[in-house]
Amino acid sequence: MSPFRISWKNIWSKPLNAALNILLIAFGTAILTVLLLASTQIEDKLTKNSKDIDLVVGAKGSPLQLILSSIYYIDFPTGNIPMNEAKKLMRNPFVKKAVPLALGDNYNGVRIVGTDSNYISLYGLKIQEGKFWKADMEATIGANVAHAQQLKVGDTFFGGHGLTEMNDQHKDHAYKVVGILTPQQNVTDNLILTGIGSVWRMHGDEHAEDTHDHDQEREYTSLLIQYRSPMAVAMFPMMVNQTTNMQAASPAQESTRLFSLIGVGVDTLQWFALLIMLIAAVSVFVNLYNSLKERRYDLAIMRTLGASKTKLFSLIILEGLILTVIGAIIGVAFGHGILHLIGTYQESSQAKMSGLIFIKEEFYLLGAGLMIGVLAAIIPAIQAYRSNISKILAEN
Amino acid sequence: MLFLWNTVIDYMISISSVSHQYGNSPALQFADWQVNDAEQWLLLGQSGSGKTTLLHILTGLLKPSGGKVHINNTDLYQLTSKKLDAFRGQHIGIIFQKPHLIKSLSIAENLMLAQRFAGLRTNQKRIEEVLTSLDMAHKRNAYPQELSQGQLQRVTIARAVINKPTLLIADEPTSSLDDKNAEAVLALLKQQSELNQATLVVATHDKRVKDAFNLTYSLA
C-alpha cells in the first residue's frame, strides 16, 4: 500500500472531479505545447532557410513578400527584374556570391526553381542519387518531392504555369529528373531545381542560356546575395533601393518583422493558455480543499493508525501532483497531435509543421505542471498537517 | 526513584494526576489508574464525563494539561510527534463508536494501510488470519459502502488488531447497535483481545455492557 496507491485510489474514487481537473490542465498545456512547437519550428525554418543569405534583390513591392517568395517559397514574387540590371549588381564589389532565381512554374504545387550552380554551394546541397542539373530541362528534385510525387531518376514530367495549380501545362517541354537531393532539412527538400534556361524555355525563349541575342528581354525573379564584407550591410541595400528600379530586402529584418506580427497573436494565445492553467490550478485547489473537508475524518483515522503529520501532508501534495502531471503529459501529447493534424491539412509544404518533433523546452511544461500541482495542493496539505485529530474524532 | 520506575514498568496503562482543560471550562480531573497486561477493563461514565477525552489522552491523540501517561512502559508525551504516531500505530488498536473505513480502499487495502502506517511490512497472511477469525474473509475485496453496519464494525475490529497491539481501546463500540449486535461485538472484542494477548479498555455509558467486565474505572 504505497502512498502513491493511496492517493491514486482516492483521486479516482471521484472520477468526474479528477477528469475535469486533468482536462483543464491538459487543455492549457496543449495550447502552450502547440504554441511552443509551432513558434520553434517556424523560427527554425526561418533561420535554417535564410542562414547564409544576407540580402534578396527583386522587383519593387512588399519586402516581406519578396523574402517569403524567394527564400521560403510561400508567397507570390513581387515581379521580375531585368537580367542585365541584375548582372550589374552581381558584379558589384560588395557581393561575394549572387544566385539568380527564376520562378513561375510548378509541378503539382511543387515550385520549380530556375537557378545556377551557385545555388548548390549557397545551400550546401548534396546528391543522394543521380546528379545535379546541367543541361536545359534537367531537374534535380528535393527528397520530399521525390517521395511525395513518386518521382525517380529518369522520370519525366510537365511543369504547369503558376506557382500552385497545374491548370496550364507546358506540354511542349518535359523535365527529366536527373538527380535527387539528400534530405537537407530546409526548403530545398520541397523544391524542383533546374537551370534558369529551362524556365526561360518554358516561357517561349527557345535559345540556349549562353546565347546573348535576347539578353535585353531576359528576366530573373530575384537574386539571393551574400556580402563580401560587413560594410555592405549599410551601403549595398541603400544603393539598390535608391539607384535602381529594384528593391533590396534583408531576410533577417523581414523575419523579425514577420515574427513580431505573428508574435501579437502568439502572445494573446499564450496569455489565454496561462489563464486556463490558472483556472486549472484553482480547480485542483478547490477539488482538494473540498475533498479535504469530506476526508477530515479519514485523515484523522490515518493518524490513529500511525501516519505522521508529514505523511498526510505528502499524501495531499501527491494527489495534486498526480492530477497535474497526468494533465500535463496528456496536454503535451495532445498538443503534438493537434500540431500534426494542422500539419497534414497545411497546403504549403514549405511551412508544414510536424507534431513528431520533440524539443527540450517541453520539459518546462511538465515542470510547470509539477509546480501547479504543488501550489494547488500546498494549502490543503498544510491544513491536513495542522488538523487537530482529537477534535475531529470527538466531533464525529 | 527506582521504586517509581518499577511501578511504571509493571503496568500496561499508568496515569497519575492527569487533568485536562478545554478553554475556560472547568478542568477534567482523572483519578490515577493502573492497568495490568492482558486485563479487560470497562471505562464507565455518562455523556460529557470525559470518557472520550481520557481515551484520546491514553492513545496519544490529546496531550493532557497536566499529569503523566505511561503506556507499555513508555512516557507517551515525552515522545516526539512522529515517534508518538509510530508508537500508536504499532502498540495501540483503536475502535470508534461509528465504524469508519477509508471508502476508496477495499477491506483488505484498509488493513494493509494499517500495517503500512504502523511502519510494518504488508502481511497478507496476517490479514487473512484476522479476517477469518472475524468471519469476514469473504469480503476482503469488497468496499466499505458494500458492507452492513455490523460487518463494518467487524472490519474496524480487524483493523485495530491487525498489528497485534498490546493495548486495544474501544470508544462506545455498542452504543449504535441493537442488543444482539452489541453482545456479538463485545464478545468479539474480548475474543480478539485474548487471541492477540492485548489489554482491553472499553469506554461506554451503555448499561448492557456493565456485566461483561469485572474491572471498572468510573468517571464521575
Side-chain angles (χ1 to χ4, degrees), chain A residues 11-12 14-25 287 323:
Chain A
I11 286 171
W12 292 107
K14 290 196 170 158
L16 271 179
N17 275 354
L20 178 71
N21 285 317
I22 288 173
L23 203 70
L24 275 170
I25 297 274
N287 182 26
L323 286 172

Side-chain angles (χ1 to χ4, degrees), chain A residues 78-235:
Chain A
T78 46
N80 288 333
I81 53 174
M83 185 184 82
N84 284 343
E85 292 262 333
K87 282 205 164 161
K88 273 188 220 165
L89 283 184
M90 290 163 80
R91 288 192 292 268
N92 190 292
F94 280 130
V95 175
K96 182 179 159 195
K97 190 182 276 179
V99 183
L101 298 182
L103 306 171
D105 290 337
N106 80 95
Y107 171 65
N108 289 339
V110 178
R111 294 196 181 195
I112 298 172
V113 180
T115 184
D116 65 15
S117 55
N118 277 333
Y119 193 91
I120 299 167
S121 58
L122 183 70
Y123 282 99
L125 302 181
K126 288 192 175 63
I127 281 286
Q128 177 180 221
E129 196 186 337
K131 59 173 184 139
F132 285 114
W133 71 95
K134 199 165 183 188
D136 280 355
M137 305 318 292
E138 283 185 348
T140 303
I141 61 176
N144 290 353
V145 179
H147 181 73
Q149 303 295 335
Q150 301 284 313
L151 288 173
K152 50 189 187 300
V153 175
D155 285 353
T156 56
F157 63 89
F158 291 107
H161 191 63
L163 295 174
T164 49
E165 287 172 0
M166 287 287 286
N167 293 337
D168 182 16
Q169 279 193 34
H170 299 292
K171 286 279 187 192
D172 303 337
H173 303 283
Y175 281 104
K176 185 180 181 196
V177 179
V178 294
I180 297 170
L181 299 174
T182 49
Q184 308 289 317
Q185 311 304 336
N186 63 23
V187 78
T188 58
D189 290 341
N190 298 302
L191 292 178
I192 294 172
L193 302 174
T194 185
I196 280 209
S198 311
V199 179
W200 288 339
R201 189 171 282 209
M202 298 278 284
H203 293 91
D205 183 350
E206 295 289 343
H207 305 86
E209 196 183 343
D210 50 5
T211 60
H212 298 285
D213 309 347
H214 298 268
D215 279 3
Q216 287 297 328
E217 300 146 36
R218 285 176 169 165
E219 288 179 322
Y220 292 151
T221 304
S222 55
L223 286 179
L224 307 179
I225 287 174
Q226 242 179 29
Y227 292 143
R228 190 176 296 281
S229 77
M231 277 242 308
V233 179
M235 310 283 285

Side-chain angles (χ1 to χ4, degrees), chain A residues 5 9 297-298 303 390, chain B residues 56 88 100 109 116 143:
Chain A
R5 196 168 155 76
K9 289 205 80 162
Y297 202 75
D298 271 16
R303 289 288 308 281
S390 171
Chain B
H56 286 186
R88 187 189 311 118
H100 194 106
E109 284 169 338
R116 163 96 197 182
Y143 281 81

Side-chain angles (χ1 to χ4, degrees), chain B residues 124-160:
Chain B
Q124 294 286 357
K125 207 176 141 199
R126 173 70 182 153
I127 290 172
E128 213 56 48
E129 180 184 296
V130 173
L131 284 178
T132 307
S133 75
L134 287 158
D135 197 21
M136 288 298 293
H138 61 294
K139 293 283 184 190
R140 65 186 318 281
N141 294 322
Y143 281 81
Q145 51 272 32
E146 299 164 21
L147 266 54
S148 71
Q149 201 69 4
Q151 287 174 321
L152 284 175
Q153 192 63 289
R154 279 164 186 259
V155 179
T156 47
I157 295 173
R159 185 178 61 187

Side-chain angles (χ1 to χ4, degrees), chain A residues 331-372:
Chain A
V332 167
F334 203 52
H336 277 273
I338 291 171
L339 199 71
H340 206 67
L341 204 67
I342 292 173
T344 51
Y345 284 106
Q346 268 179 314
E347 280 184 16
S348 164
S349 53
Q350 298 299 4
K352 220 178 188 61
M353 285 182 282
S354 163
L356 301 176
I357 296 168
F358 288 81
I359 53 174
K360 65 174 185 301
E361 282 80 1
E362 289 173 60
F363 283 108
Y364 296 140
L365 289 177
L366 294 180
L370 279 172
M371 220 165 72
I372 288 174

